[in-house]
Amino acid sequence: MPTPIRRITTAQFALLALPSHLTRTIAAVHLHHTWRPRRQDFRGLATIEAMRRFHMDQGWSDIAQHLTIDPQGGLWTGRNWNLAPASAVGHNGTSSEGPFMIEMVGDFDTGQDPFDGPQRQAAIETVAHLMRAFGLDDADLKFHNQLTKRKSCPGTAITRADFLRAVKALPAAKARPAGLFTVEHLVGAEAVRSGAATDTAAASSVPENDAAGAAIDEAARLATRESQRRARGLSPRVLGSTVFTASRGSADWSVLKPHVINLAKGDLSQGGEFATTPADVEAIVDAIRDYAAGAETPRLMIHAHGGLVGESSALEYAWTMHRWWLNHGVFPLFFVWESSLLEIIGQFVLGRRDLADWTSDLVIEGIVKAPGTAAWAGMKESARLSSSTDIGDGVIGGARLFARKLAALLERLGPGALPIHTVGHSAGAIFHSHLIPALLAEGVPEIEHLYLLAPASRTELFRDNLAGHVHGKKIKALSIFTMDEEAEGQDNCFKAYRKSLLYLVSHACEGIRRRPILGLHKSMRKDADLRALFGMNEDGTLNGTGTANLHLSLARGEPENPLTRALAHGAFDNDPKTMSAVLRRIVGLDDDTGIGEADFPYPPLARTFDFAVPGAWGGSPPPPAPPSGAPPAPAAPTGQGGQHVRALCIGIDKYPERPLAGCVNDARTWGSALTQLGARVDYLFDGDATYEGMKAAIRSLVGSGAPGDVLVLQYAGHGGQLPNRVDSEEDGYNEALIPVDYTTGALLVDDELAQILGGLPAGVAMTLFMDCCHSGTNSRFAPVMRARAAAGDRPRFMPLDDDIVEAYFARRGARALGRGAEVSLPGIVHFAACQDHEYAWESKGQGDFTGAAARALASAVQNRVLNEKFAADVAAAVGAKHRQHPQLMALDAAMRSRPLLAPAGSAVTGAL
């Protein structure tokens, strides 16, 4: 069986990769880059698993490399280290002696990904350890391009001589054998995360020869024990002269330098895990300036986390989220501020679990009141000081310093050049109640939009510090996402207090008297000014007359709000629906697009209440991921009768000619819709969607099916046509999907696609959703009728010139690959965006077909709408524009009358 994949640190690697732990002699080190995926494409465990699947599809027994180094400097184990790699033909050695193969995620050819930061440092430290531990010479470090003349790998921008110099310059202490490492080097916070959390999901059983897994588990056990000691208030354990610590090195957070300001008691934090200096603030503003100069539509998002967040957790959240914001065209800035004092409340609540079962919320409120009030007051003071002009001795608060620098930048950029959006979760609303007035006082012209997620600030603070700016349009828009009154009562706090945290804040943390809290629906409906602001009736219902927006996640028995699924106070800022709704408002997209949900770095939240619609196949959403980087991909969901539901979503915008703007969004929209129905979804975007990449991914999808499984293939991109010189098409043309590398003649034509899909195992159901021009028969399942397409703007059609056509036939030769066009393949349902003589259109960042079909998918599946009825409904919705007519390709009667996305052999009954 393949070796379980684990994420480890360089220190852990030094512990594990030793002659005494391996039965195989390491005689060389081979260094590669992935080329594809690039650094920006990396999605954690899901990417490593995708590489493994691709390599095994080539006939190899496992992933090719022993170790993969990710862009953040994490090391991912792969092939068993006692086996020869699949590195280069003739150079792989044997199971007794040979090279150790390392693959670095990225394209390091000149002008592509930079080879820098934690990734470069990890590569240098890893190679240095191997060379010293196994007594290797300079000549034993082999770049892939030395072993084959056909490769530039590991990248033309990496010079072997420079790399070797960096290896030799590494201090011996950083590459010494693991036996000399102190405990602080071997076990850190990352050992707890990757060893105890990620690894548990990655492998339920470890082969006996997996010495790496056993050692990592031991390191995780030690780290967890020490973490528990600290949680109980015990001092760190001293081993000799070394203090056991669990903090990550500052280098691990270097990617966050342009995106995080760390504060302590209002001042810039010089200690802890992440230091911020005045020079760092200058550099952050410079980074924002550079971003604004290069972005087509620049936007700045300023985030303040909630009151149950310590420094490590806040940094983890920023590390996880910052790339998502950047990928959607928004520059994120995270304030990490001193708010973890509220954890003392949990200690007091949990510390009294010896109380009888009849313990009431009133008793808990009394227990918490004295320490909770002091802790909460200290946290609020830290928020105030952060934006103060004088925190003592004439020192300016750290957030105020940033506000001053940002205001100066905006003055240079000019009016409206960089809209400012502010997001605050829970106690983050208290932080923004001081930061926003500071920004405006320093000269920031206006705040484009303020988003408050379950705000834990008192209504008086909102009225005194923010309401006037909302009414005066200095804050141009305000949105609050929170729970309705009943949902607040169905939440719990520390699994002991039977209401949400906001009630505990109101009843215990704000002093002797109960205080109204802005995020409590009950407090809002009792305040006449807030009712007027949000357009709320006295019973709490909304009447649409407000100037601000209120979005409530609703309680048991109420319909689900499509904009937020958070049903616990702490869930709002990692809920895909809530945060994607915020994103769409920042970038100016409609909610119908669903943008932001499919690639959100945290999985959909498990629903707390029982009113929500379950997965269409009976599968439940995956559990929340640990807050470290890209979460592990969940196992394939299981549906009725044990079948699995898998999907492949392909979207291509970045063509060298005639680029599109909505295809990647379409793929994400489909992926989000299918994920919510319980499917496991793989994606192929832009540069990864090459001819070979698409074929391999589709072949892998088809081959993954077992009887009873449901498979989905979705494609959004250009379609095209080229003259048929071999097969007998009725219209004399072949239809083709257009991969990103189509200019080389790499076209995925209809008959070749049909050949791949023809390998569908018996008993497996497959559905295609094709949003491209000439999609009517590009899978060769039905008769074709051809008329030349009319001209139009933004059609998904790629004209193929003579050079591309000749290149295609030169690649293909005189081979007849496909089946007859009139033959339908069994088990496959094909929904096409248009008829063969039409264009498929996109507008406002989404395909017309996807906009109608993906939105209707969940309801249609849950109501067992028949394939034929679904096709007619979508055609009616899209055909209203009179420019394309989606269709269901010709099927036999049984397939036409089968419910949408139903497994093969299921009852052919459904909604008409």
Side-chain angles (χ1 to χ4, degrees):
M1 60 176 288
T3 303
I5 293 172
R6 299 171 179 270
R7 188 180 192 269
I8 62 177
T9 65
T10 53
Q12 292 167 349
F13 178 75
L15 168 68
L16 306 171
L18 290 172
S20 59
H21 289 165
L22 301 181
T23 61
R24 178 172 173 266
T25 298
I26 303 302
V29 179
H30 288 183
L31 203 59
H32 297 246
H33 70 170
T34 58
W35 186 71
R36 296 293 185 273
R38 299 157 299 183
R39 290 177 75 170
Q40 69 192 60
D41 305 319
F42 186 71
R43 297 294 183 269
L45 180 62
T47 298
I48 307 298
E49 289 183 331
M51 279 194 280
R52 166 178 276 174
R53 289 194 298 271
F54 179 76
H55 289 177
M56 294 181 73
D57 285 344
Q58 311 306 308
W60 302 332
S61 61
D62 199 348
I63 194 171
Q65 61 264 30
H66 294 119
L67 200 69
T68 306
I69 303 179
D70 69 30
Q72 291 78 38
L75 311 183
W76 297 81
T77 62
R79 180 183 289 253
N80 188 307
W81 297 352
N82 287 316
L83 298 179
S87 177
V89 176
H91 300 276
N92 292 323
T94 66
S95 58
S96 60
E97 181 176 335
F100 190 96
M101 179 184 173
I102 299 172
E103 192 106 10
M104 301 180 295
V105 175
D107 176 1
F108 302 116
D109 284 337
T110 302
Q112 302 304 313
D113 289 339
F115 181 53
D116 60 8
Q119 185 177 40
R120 179 179 183 274
Q121 186 65 24
I124 291 169
E125 291 185 17
T126 302
V127 171
H129 168 74
L130 288 170
M131 295 183 72
R132 295 174 187 182
F134 291 91
L136 305 180
D137 297 327
D138 290 0
D140 296 322
L141 173 61
K142 304 290 187 182
F143 278 20
H144 189 200
N145 56 35
Q146 294 177 267
L147 308 177
T148 174
K149 299 300 182 183
R150 295 174 296 156
K151 301 285 187 179
S152 63
C153 180
T156 55
I158 304 177
T159 304
R160 184 174 176 276
D162 291 342
F163 190 89
L164 269 172
R165 276 194 291 272
V167 168
K168 292 178 179 180
L170 191 71
K174 287 198 174 182
R176 56 192 169 182
L180 301 180
F181 270 77
T182 58
V183 176
E184 63 189 358
H185 287 109
L186 294 178
V187 183
E190 187 160 323
V192 178
R193 183 175 66 253
S194 64
T198 301
D199 295 337
T200 300
S204 57
S205 62
V206 181
E208 292 182 1
N209 62 355
D210 188 6
I216 296 169
D217 289 340
E218 175 63 12
R221 185 186 66 79
L222 290 172
T224 302
R225 187 171 66 192
E226 293 306 317
S227 297
Q228 292 169 346
R229 287 175 59 84
R230 287 190 299 278
R232 296 196 300 270
L234 301 178
S235 300
R237 181 163 52 96
V238 178
L239 302 180
S241 61
T242 301
V243 177
F244 187 102
T245 63
S247 61
R248 286 176 69 156
S250 59
D252 287 331
W253 301 121
S254 59
V255 70
L256 294 179
K257 278 295 185 182
H259 301 288
V260 168
I261 294 177
N262 197 13
L263 304 169
K265 295 182 174 62
D267 200 0
L268 297 176
S269 176
Q270 303 295 304
E273 295 193 46
F274 188 99
T276 302
T277 67
D280 290 330
V281 176
E282 290 273 10
I284 287 171
V285 174
D286 288 345
I288 295 172
R289 177 202 63 202
D290 294 343
Y291 155 79
E296 183 177 347
T297 309
R299 307 168 183 93
L300 174 63
M301 186 282 303
I302 302 174
H303 179 273
H305 60 69
L308 281 169
V309 181
E311 181 187 31
S312 295
S313 296
L315 289 170
E316 291 284 2
Y317 180 81
W319 188 82
T320 302
M321 289 291 295
H322 82 281
R323 178 57 57 185
W324 179 76
W325 286 106
L326 289 171
N327 286 344
H328 288 283
V330 179
F331 190 97
L333 177 68
F334 301 87
F335 276 99
V336 173
W337 60 292
E338 191 176 43
S339 68
S340 62
L341 288 175
L342 190 57
E343 292 174 355
I344 194 172
I345 298 173
Q347 295 171 14
F348 273 85
V349 171
L350 296 177
R352 298 298 300 267
R353 294 304 296 273
D354 56 321
L355 295 173
D357 289 342
W358 49 263
T359 297
S360 69
D361 290 348
L362 288 174
V363 173
I364 292 176
E365 289 166 6
I367 292 170
V368 169
K369 188 158 294 198
T373 300
W376 191 253
M379 186 195 68
K380 292 196 296 183
E381 180 65 3
S382 291
R384 186 192 69 80
L385 289 173
S386 297
S387 295
S388 173
T389 56
D390 185 0
I391 65 176
D393 298 326
V395 176
I396 187 173
R400 188 75 178 219
L401 176 63
F402 168 75
R404 189 165 295 175
K405 301 291 185 183
L406 179 64
L409 172 63
L410 294 178
E411 184 176 8
R412 295 195 300 271
L413 293 178
L418 180 64
I420 309 298
H421 297 259
T422 51
V423 179
H425 176 222
S426 186
I430 301 173
F431 187 90
H432 278 315
S433 293
H434 299 287
L435 175 61
I436 290 176
L439 287 167
L440 297 173
E442 291 294 339
V444 172
E446 61 191 13
I447 303 300
E448 188 73 19
H449 205 134
L450 168 60
Y451 307 87
L452 298 177
L453 316 178
S457 61
R458 284 166 53 168
T459 56
E460 295 98 319
L461 180 65
F462 172 78
R463 183 178 298 110
D464 293 343
N465 288 22
L466 296 176
H469 296 307
V470 173
H471 293 302
K473 295 302 180 182
K474 284 291 187 178
I475 300 174
K476 294 173 63 178
L478 167 66
S479 293
I480 289 182
F481 293 76
T482 194
M483 293 186 283
D484 86 342
E485 191 168 337
E486 185 180 354
E488 295 279 359
Q490 294 173 5
D491 191 12
N492 72 82
C493 186
F494 307 109
K495 297 184 179 180
Y497 183 72
R498 294 179 290 272
K499 297 184 184 69
S500 82
L501 176 67
L502 294 186
Y503 272 102
L504 193 61
V505 170
S506 171
H507 294 180
C509 297
E510 285 288 356
I512 301 300
R513 296 177 54 200
R514 295 184 175 186
R515 302 288 185 176
I517 300 298
L518 181 62
L520 275 176
H521 190 209
K522 180 178 181 179
S523 297
M524 299 174 77
R525 69 175 177 80
K526 289 185 175 181
D527 187 304
D529 291 339
L530 291 178
R531 288 202 308 270
L533 180 63
F534 291 102
M536 183 186 301
N537 300 317
E538 290 189 15
D539 63 357
T541 58
L542 299 176
N543 54 40
T545 62
T547 56
N549 307 297
L550 178 61
H551 305 287
L552 297 172
S553 55
L554 301 172
R556 183 181 294 117
E558 298 293 335
E560 184 177 357
N561 185 343
L563 300 184
T564 178
R565 182 185 284 175
L567 293 173
H569 171 78
F572 281 88
D573 64 344
N574 58 6
D575 171 33
K577 285 190 172 295
T578 303
M579 296 307 296
S580 296
V582 171
L583 169 70
R584 290 191 295 268
R585 281 149 182 76
I586 291 176
V587 299
L589 291 176
D590 293 337
D591 287 317
D592 286 348
T593 64
I595 298 303
E597 295 181 31
D599 62 332
F600 192 74
Y602 292 94
L605 297 179
R607 293 177 170 99
T608 303
F609 305 143
D610 58 9
F611 69 83
V613 179
W617 296 277
S620 59
S628 56
T638 300
Q640 297 170 355
Q643 80 275 3
H644 295 105
V645 187
R646 300 181 179 91
L648 172 64
C649 295
I650 303 173
I652 310 175
D653 286 329
K654 295 181 179 178
Y655 290 98
E657 296 180 4
R658 294 178 178 260
L660 296 168
C663 296
V664 171
N665 286 344
D666 282 1
R668 288 172 171 157
T669 298
W670 280 105
S672 177
L674 290 162
T675 297
Q676 292 174 39
L677 290 170
R680 191 182 88 177
V681 181
D682 291 320
Y683 296 91
L684 210 57
F685 295 149
D686 287 335
D688 291 331
T690 62
Y691 169 75
E692 293 294 344
M694 288 173 60
K695 282 206 309 179
I698 297 171
R699 189 177 288 116
S700 176
L701 175 68
V702 171
S704 70
D709 286 357
V710 176
L711 306 180
V712 177
L713 171 62
Q714 175 270 328
Y715 171 81
H718 274 308
Q721 57 181 358
L722 68 164
N724 174 39
R725 298 180 182 175
V726 179
D727 298 331
S728 178
E729 292 266 357
E730 183 174 325
D731 62 352
Y733 286 92
N734 279 108
E735 281 66 50
L737 305 183
I738 309 298
V740 72
D741 57 344
Y742 73 97
T743 57
T744 63
L747 307 173
L748 189 53
V749 298
D750 48 10
D751 52 4
E752 190 172 7
L753 179 59
Q755 184 188 50
I756 296 172
L757 299 180
L760 189 71
V764 178
M766 188 168 193
T767 299
L768 276 59
F769 297 103
M770 312 297 284
D771 199 342
C772 60
C773 288
H774 307 297
S775 57
T777 60
N778 54 26
S779 55
R780 298 288 302 271
F781 301 148
V784 289
M785 295 295 291
R786 167 71 60 208
R788 300 299 296 182
D793 58 346
R794 196 71 76 173
R796 292 180 173 177
F797 170 69
M798 179 67 73
L800 303 175
D801 60 30
D802 291 343
D803 290 341
I804 295 174
V805 172
E806 292 304 323
Y808 163 74
F809 283 110
R811 292 169 60 101
R812 172 177 173 171
R815 302 193 314 275
L817 297 176
R819 302 161 59 99
E822 291 78 14
V823 178
S824 296
L825 292 179
I828 295 181
V829 177
H830 175 192
F831 292 96
C834 61
Q835 298 180 21
D836 254 9
H837 63 280
E838 295 176 325
Y839 288 150
W841 293 77
E842 67 172 38
S843 59
K844 295 183 179 179
Q846 188 170 67
D848 288 2
F849 170 72
T850 293
R855 279 202 305 270
L857 187 70
S859 175
V861 170
Q862 289 153 7
N863 292 314
R864 294 182 61 79
V865 170
L866 305 183
N867 284 314
E868 201 167 41
K869 176 67 163 57
F870 180 72
D873 291 345
V874 172
V878 178
K881 295 184 178 181
H882 304 294
R883 58 184 184 181
Q884 70 188 75
H885 298 82
Q887 58 179 322
L888 172 64
M889 302 316 300
L891 301 168
D892 59 33
M895 295 291 286
R896 283 199 306 273
S897 59
R898 178 173 294 165
L900 181 67
L901 300 188
S906 62
V908 290
T909 59
L912 299 176

